[in-house]
Amino acid sequence: MPRSSSSRSKIALVGGGNIGGILAQLACEKKLGDVAIFDINAGVAQGKALDIASSAAVEGFHATLTGSDDPAILRGAEVVIVTAGLPRKPGMSRDDLVESNAKIISSIARHIREQAPEAFVVCITNPLDVMVGHLQREANMAHEKVVGMAGVLDSARFRHFLACELGVSEQDVSAFVLGGHGDSMVPLVRYSNVAGIPLPEIVRMGWTSQETIDAIVARTRNGGAEVVKLMGTSAYFAPAASAIAMAQAYLYDEKRIFPCAAYCKGVYGVEGLYVGVPALIGKDGIEKIVEIELTPQERTLFQESIDAVSALNKVLVALREQGKV
Ligand code: TXD
């Protein structure tokens, strides 16, 4: 019998695949709480739970890990992180996954509503912005408790590429990405800085060139595809680390500002759509969306990204009306 602890938080992972496994490991190593892995493949869920639990003696954490194909394992979770779905294969776009993954998300939404209706839910499944909207709608939970992870990852990639180019630590690079998790995402150069020095100023100083920054912006947009091309499936280490940062911000009421796929109604001119914007995460979930000023050019790029998410959402609505998802 697993030990259980009422004093520890419970983090439920829906999907125990590549990202799910790393999520479980990070949640334990960062001492966020007990971990329950739900997967339609019971062996994978149980096997990963056992494998990670077996590292406790070496890593020095105290957590109960369980795995099952029974959704009751989600019961009472404070945080649920959803990765269930198919990942991309080389040559596929994120949007190619909409029908298959929406079906999966529909069943998962029901489980979450029944087992953990008070949880803070972080969706990772692609195509991210429309899947998180679908999950919230089907689970019928508060918008501020259901959020999508993409911007933390996209920004982390942007920061990594900038840090490599400038020869500085990623920690000193602050940068973020607006918009949907797709090729139209908008890395915001003007709001990015290195130890407080704005990126445009870094270019003026001659530390790097505008052409190099433009190439980094393009590489950031294609960061996911670059990994898929190299290893034949989607990234999983950085996506898991990013979602864990969001879960931690909620559990510890950290009031961190992350770019998240959050529900926008009346902000940035968006009327009722999940899209990537800077949002504050604390004990109540998404406590605030930060609306920054954009230049006409940034606004145009952001609008293109919103339009791309909105177009895919229409595809999803049509599938829903046809009873396919
Ligand atoms: O930034 C981001 N949001 C992302 C998103 C970055 C990288 C990858 N991203 C997406 O995450 C990716 O396109 C996929 O849609 C998800 C999950 O990626 P992962 O790499 O973890 O996929 P796996 O390894 O195939 O794991 C998926 C697991 C697998 O074990 C299945 O058995 C399980 O999901 N699965 C289910 N579990 C429970 N319930 C149902 N219905 C179910 N269907 C599949």
Side-chain angles (χ1 to χ4, degrees):
M1 274 297 279
R3 289 157 296 167
S4 65
S5 165
S6 55
S7 62
R8 281 196 291 263
S9 298
K10 176 172 175 179
I11 296 114
L13 308 176
V14 178
N18 283 338
I19 301 180
I22 307 291
L23 285 169
Q25 186 182 27
L26 288 174
C28 291
E29 291 182 359
K30 288 178 178 283
K31 301 183 169 54
L32 295 189
D34 293 334
V35 174
I37 307 174
F38 167 69
D39 198 293
I40 41 163
N41 186 336
V44 161
Q46 288 165 350
K48 290 200 181 179
L50 177 60
D51 191 12
I52 295 166
S54 304
S55 72
V58 183
E59 292 290 347
F61 60 77
H62 305 271
T64 301
L65 282 121
T66 45
S68 176
D69 60 354
D70 180 351
I73 197 173
L74 308 176
R75 182 161 291 269
E78 277 140 277
V79 173
V80 179
I81 307 180
V82 178
T83 60
L86 305 178
R88 278 198 285 171
K89 296 272 173 286
M92 279 175 97
S93 86
R94 295 178 177 95
D95 297 359
D96 293 335
L97 298 168
V98 67
E99 186 171 344
S100 51
N101 284 354
K103 266 189 215 152
I104 294 173
I105 291 293
S106 298
S107 71
I108 282 158
R110 202 180 58 244
H111 297 326
I112 298 176
R113 192 178 59 223
E114 288 169 3
Q115 307 294 341
E118 304 298 325
F120 180 58
V121 181
V122 182
C123 179
I124 303 185
T125 302
N126 269 328
L128 192 267
D129 304 85
V130 298
M131 285 306 117
V132 63
H134 186 57
L135 178 59
Q136 181 282 325
R137 188 180 184 277
E138 299 291 304
N140 196 22
M141 291 167 69
H143 286 112
E144 54 277 14
K145 296 298 272 301
V146 184
V147 63
M149 188 297 294
V152 179
L153 168 67
D154 297 327
S155 304
R157 286 181 174 145
F158 192 26
R159 291 166 67 190
H160 172 63
F161 299 145
L162 287 168
C164 290
E165 161 60 17
L166 300 170
V168 300
S169 162
E170 279 85 353
Q171 285 182 5
D172 287 332
V173 181
S174 175
F176 77 93
V177 168
L178 269 187
H181 183 52
D183 305 338
S184 61
M185 70 177 81
V186 190
L188 279 182
V189 172
R190 206 165 54 90
Y191 282 102
S192 304
N193 70 74
V194 177
I197 312 164
L199 215 45
E201 188 55 34
I202 299 242
V203 173
R204 258 192 300 277
M205 287 157 67
W207 195 345
T208 185
S209 66
Q210 188 56 48
E211 293 69 44
T212 305
I213 297 294
D214 293 345
I216 287 175
V217 165
R219 191 173 178 199
T220 301
R221 285 182 158 159
N222 290 315
E226 188 176 341
V227 174
V228 173
K229 198 166 164 220
L230 286 167
M231 63 183 194
T233 192
S234 303
Y236 44 96
F237 293 102
S242 303
I244 287 292
M246 292 167 71
Q248 181 175 318
Y250 170 76
L251 288 169
Y252 293 162
D253 192 21
E254 288 176 339
K255 314 284 188 205
R256 295 213 51 197
I257 295 179
F258 288 129
C260 305
Y263 186 69
C264 295
K265 193 166 172 51
V267 281
Y268 290 103
V270 182
E271 273 312 319
L273 195 66
Y274 272 87
V275 69
V277 288
L280 189 149
I281 300 182
K283 66 175 182 353
D284 296 322
I286 297 293
E287 297 185 359
K288 182 187 167 102
I289 290 175
V290 184
E291 199 170 1
I292 54 168
E293 216 169 280
L294 299 174
T295 63
Q297 196 200 9
E298 289 162 350
R299 178 68 229 178
T300 303
L301 291 171
F302 186 32
Q303 192 58 48
E304 281 171 18
S305 184
I306 294 166
D307 292 346
V309 174
S310 181
L312 192 61
N313 200 47
K314 289 204 176 88
V315 173
L316 176 65
V317 170
L319 289 168
R320 219 186 265 140
E321 282 168 3
Q322 293 159 25
K324 288 188 177 161
V325 298

